[in-house]
Structures are given as C-alpha cells and as structure tokens.
Amino acid sequence: MGTLARFSRRLHYTCKTFLSPLQAFLLAETRKEGVCFDVRASLSTTSRSYDTASGSDETGKQPNLSIIKTAETPLLKQLQARIKFSGPLTVYDYMKEGLINPLSGYYAAGQDMFGTKGDYVTSPEISQMFGEMVGVWIFNEWYKLGSLKPLQLVEFGPGRGTLMQDILRVLKQLGVKGRDLSIHFVEVSPELSQNQEERLCGSSQPYTETSDEGDFYKKNTTTGGTPVFWYRHLSSVPKRFSVFVAHEFFDVLPVHILRKTKDGWRELLVDVDEGDGPHHLRYVLSRTETPAAKLFVEPEETRDEVEVSPDGAVLCKDIAKRIEDNGGLALIMDYGHDGKLTDTFRAFKNHKQHHPLCEPGTADLTADVDFAYLKKQVQEDLITYGPVTQSFFLQNMGIEARLATLLKNSKPEEQKNLISAYKMLTDRHQMGERFKFLALFPGVVKNFLIKYPPAGFYRDFDE
Ligand code: SAH
C-alpha cells in the first residue's frame, strides 16, 4: 500500500481521538520530565525583524552611515573582480554570495551569530517556551493525521539546533522518542551543523561525503537514540511522510529587487563604487528590463518596488509536491507580510542594522518573507492555514499555561526573565506581530481539516 493510502487509512481511525494541544501538553506535564527552563539570551538583544528596512543609495532612503570607506573584506575582493569581469550583480547574487559563499559568506565564516555576543536573536533562542509550543503543534497535527512511525522531521536552517532540541523534549514527553522518529537537517553551514550535532548528539562525527545509505553529508544519533542526518539541499532528503519546519529560513533566501520606472520595470543591481561613496559597492538600476523583471512582476502589481524570492517559491513548490505525493505537513515561521510591503532588504551586525553593502560577508542579510507569494505557489495543490501572527499562534497553543507552570517552578530572579521572554515573544510591538506562521497540509485531508482545523490557527477561546 502506498504511503499516502496508508496515511489516509490511519487518518480514518484516529480522527476522532486526537488530543487538543493543551491536553497533550498537560499529559506531558504529568510525566514530570523536562520542566526545566532557561532564558537563552539577554533580552536586550535584537531580533532581525526590528527596525524598518534600509533602502538603496540612489533612493536616498539609506542614511549615510559613514564618510570614510568601510573595510575591505575577502568577499568584497571576489565580488569586485566578478563585477569588473561581467558587470553589476543582481541583489539576488549579492545576497547569495554574502550569505553562503563557501569561503567567505556570512554562514560559512564559522562565528556564532546568535545571542548576546552574536548579531541577532531568534525566538527559539529567547525561551524554551517557543520550541515547546511548536513541539506540541507537531505532535497534535501528526497524531491527528494518523501518527505514522517513524516520523520524519525535516528542519531547514536549524541554527544552533535549539528549536529541534525543544521539539524533541516535548515529543519524548508525549511518548515519541528514539527510533520512533528521524531528524533531517537541511543546513549549508559546516560550523552550524557541528553546533547542532554537539547540541543534540553530545559529540561530532567527521563528514561523510559519500555513503551507500543516502546523500547526506553527516550522520549521527541523538543522546535519546534518534538518528540525525545533515543535507545541503531538500532534494537529498528521503521522500517519505514528513513534518517540515522552517524558522527564520525563508528570510535568508535571496531576493531580486525590482523597481517601477517611467520606462518600465528595472532591477536594482550592485556595482563597484570607485567614487567617494562610503562603501566600495553601490546600488545602480539596470538600464533595460532584466530577465527577473520580465519573469517575476505580476501584471496586476500595484507596488512601485517588489522583492521576489524565486528560491522561496521553488522550495515551497518542492515541499508541496512531497506533501502531496508522500503525505506530511509543514510549518513556516518567519517575519513577513502579505504581499504589500516593499523595501525590506537589510543587514544585521552586532544587534544593529547595518548597510547591506558594507563589508560583505560580515553581516546577516535578510528580506521579509512575502507569505502571499509563497501561498500562491502551493494553493492549487495544498490546504494552507495562515499566516497568523506569532502572538496569535503561541496564545492559541497555550503559552500562558506553560508560562504559569514554569513560573511556579522557578526562583524569583528567573521569574522576571521568564516574563520578559514571554513578552518579547508575544507582545505586538516586539516579536508578536511581525512574525507569522503558515501551515501547509495535503489536499486529501481538506474535509477532515474543515472539521478539525489545525491547532494554533483558530481561536478556541473567547477573548
Ligand atoms: N532556525 C534558526 C536559525 C535561523 S538563521 C533559528 O531560528 O534560530 C538561518 C539558518 O539557515 C542558519 O542555520 C544557516 O546556516 C541556514 N542557511 C542559510 N542559507 C541556507 C541555505 N541556502 N540552505 C540551507 N541552510 C541555509
């Protein structure tokens, strides 16, 4: 019997008996395991989504941060040579090189970019409550859809591995552990993959460039006995029923920036600046319509500038195909908008906004996720829920109940940090509103979802 048929049959048996997130979580609480807590980062740190975006030199939106030319980095030299040889780069190429160039891209450089000493802080790093709510959601939805074992958990860009660690703790409390599941990380950074491995497995293994077992570059086993695999791309991950998770991943996928002019759509490009500009690079506009401007601007577009992430679209379509063919579901969490914002491309360094063209390879580059665009890629085949705000999702998943339990078990000084962490995650002026959650389910479960919509995406209490 095919995976999807098996999955639909299991669904039939279990649809009446699933646990609500809160029931599941309370069940976990009765096992008295993992009621520890930590507030991972100093709460004075900055999330990447904070300030409004920077624009380009030529729009005049970007403040002139310096009058002396900024430092030359190894990546800058490569980019200058490339531009001199073949002309200005698209922002897409610039962003891609700046982030994942294997020798000198930001994610290849080997520094720890998260937390107080890094460049920014992410929700899983702020408090374990975040990952626990996601863990409860995964358990709940997987259980509803038939709880096929082993559960293949796929995470894109796992950072320090903190989110997965919290998810695994919740799943263990709910009885899903060891070989009941397998973990598949899609991660380009060798250093971060090592951090993830040390965190989950307690030690690290050498790279496996080729293996008969599959196309992973590294394999290990968690301290709880669950196999973990690392890949550079989703195409190498086994095609099975999977739960896909992406937190602050789509925002680092490169974007094209396209601008409406009186002569039609043009593309923002990066050129060398040999004049007296503050950086060694500057923005210019393409003289003619580039392939991206031809391909990616919708005829009904009303904005004067758009940022388009073709890699985000392709990834969403790939996930959708897997969900349709093999069964599964996905949770995409990121800061973003519903297709209305522009001018969100920006850089972060040392918890401050940084000019994106300054010292390439040394700062994180990001653009807000266009959730409307992502949804458009998949809505013919899949059922989508959201995007809802982080605050809405976490509140509906029972974060307040979790906070109350943690407060009960903590010392007064820890209580203060817990409350600050809770506020930072849920307050609409902090991370509560700008961060959004989007869920993807296979079309085959449409009627079932009408009856049992996914936890976290609907309000099941009165305000
Ligand atoms: N999810 C984590 C980390 C977010 S930072 C958190 O929220 O804390 C982005 C992560 O994506 C890093 O782990 C980075 O190494 C990885 N990454 C960036 N670009 C990638 C790409 N093109 N393919 C795979 N991983 C990538």
Side-chain angles (χ1 to χ4, degrees), residues 228-290:
V228 199
F229 303 85
W230 280 263
Y231 312 83
R232 290 195 180 83
H233 196 266
L234 173 65
S235 55
S236 310
V237 177
K239 290 185 173 152
R240 292 192 204 114
F241 181 102
S242 305
V243 173
F244 299 94
V245 183
H247 183 264
E248 290 216 30
F249 177 74
F250 278 82
D251 70 282
V252 296
L253 298 180
V255 291
H256 287 279
I257 303 185
L258 307 165
R259 189 174 295 168
K260 198 194 253 167
T261 70
K262 61 179 177 23
D263 302 317
W265 286 88
R266 296 289 181 263
E267 180 156 10
L268 199 66
L269 304 172
V270 176
D271 199 359
V272 289
D273 185 357
E274 284 164 348
D276 56 4
H279 313 297
H280 299 275
L281 299 171
R282 64 183 178 125
Y283 291 118
V284 293
L285 262 193
S286 67
R287 282 204 196 97
T288 52
E289 198 180 26
T290 58

Side-chain angles (χ1 to χ4, degrees), residues 10 23 52 129 168 179 198 200 218 233 304 334 454:
R10 297 285 303 266
Q23 282 171 318
T52 49
M129 290 184 283
L168 289 181
R179 297 205 158 258
E198 276 159 13
L200 296 182
K218 197 196 275 247
H233 196 266
D304 289 339
D334 226 305

Side-chain angles (χ1 to χ4, degrees), residues 108-373:
Q111 84 274 25
D112 188 359
M113 56 284 289
F114 307 98
T116 2
K117 295 200 185 106
D119 295 319
Y120 56 88
V121 67
T122 61
S123 294
E125 302 296 332
I126 288 171
S127 167
Q128 70 180 77
M129 290 184 283
F130 181 86
E132 288 173 348
M133 294 300 110
V134 174
V136 172
W137 187 88
I138 291 174
F139 177 82
N140 203 63
E141 300 312 310
W142 168 72
Y143 193 79
K144 258 164 67 179
L145 296 189
S147 54
L148 279 180
K149 279 187 191 165
L151 162 62
Q152 177 162 291
L153 267 180
V154 182
E155 185 180 357
F156 297 94
R160 280 176 168 171
T162 311
L163 176 60
M164 187 55 76
Q165 192 178 37
D166 292 335
I167 293 172
L168 289 181
R169 195 176 57 253
V170 167
L171 292 179
K172 186 175 170 204
Q173 287 167 347
L174 294 166
V176 187
K177 55 187 178 192
R179 297 205 158 258
D180 291 343
L181 63 154
S182 60
I183 298 165
H184 303 260
F185 284 144
V186 178
E187 173 59 76
V188 281
S189 161
E191 282 72 20
L192 284 176
S193 72
Q194 198 168 326
N195 287 1
Q196 294 146 17
E197 190 177 13
E198 276 159 13
R199 173 161 289 216
L200 296 182
C201 310
S203 65
S204 77
Q205 298 285 329
Y207 271 38
T208 336
E209 276 310 334
T210 50
S211 162
D212 295 343
E213 285 178 88
D215 202 5
F216 47 84
Y217 66 83
K218 197 196 275 247
K219 178 188 173 189
N220 206 330
T221 306
T222 68
T223 45
T226 298
V228 199
F229 303 85
W230 280 263
Y231 312 83
R232 290 195 180 83
H233 196 266
L234 173 65
S235 55
S236 310
V237 177
K239 290 185 173 152
R240 292 192 204 114
F241 181 102
S242 305
V243 173
F244 299 94
V245 183
H247 183 264
E248 290 216 30
F249 177 74
F250 278 82
D251 70 282
V252 296
L253 298 180
V255 291
H256 287 279
I257 303 185
L258 307 165
R259 189 174 295 168
K260 198 194 253 167
T261 70
K262 61 179 177 23
D263 302 317
W265 286 88
R266 296 289 181 263
E267 180 156 10
L268 199 66
L269 304 172
V270 176
D271 199 359
V272 289
D273 185 357
E274 284 164 348
D276 56 4
H279 313 297
H280 299 275
L281 299 171
R282 64 183 178 125
Y283 291 118
V284 293
L285 262 193
S286 67
R287 282 204 196 97
T288 52
E289 198 180 26
T290 58
K294 271 199 189 103
L295 276 173
F296 299 132
V297 183
E298 303 286 343
E300 64 273 16
E301 183 57 62
T302 54
R303 290 170 289 175
D304 289 339
E305 187 177 289
V306 287
E307 293 161 342
V308 186
S309 165
D311 296 12
V314 168
L315 180 61
C316 248
K317 277 184 193 281
D318 286 351
I319 294 174
K321 172 117 183 57
R322 283 171 176 249
I323 289 181
E324 275 292 284
D325 292 351
N326 310 102
L329 49 130
L331 187 62
I332 299 174
M333 301 160 273
D334 226 305
Y335 48 95
H337 58 92
D338 56 357
K340 296 200 175 73
L341 277 191
T342 61
D343 192 21
T344 73
F345 175 53
R346 55 194 180 276
F348 285 94
K349 189 172 177 178
N350 300 329
H351 297 278
K352 287 199 191 85
Q353 214 172 308
H354 187 76
H355 193 294
L357 300 185
C358 171
E359 299 166 12
T362 66
D364 186 32
L365 299 172
T366 143
D368 280 24
V369 174
D370 182 343
F371 281 101
Y373 179 66

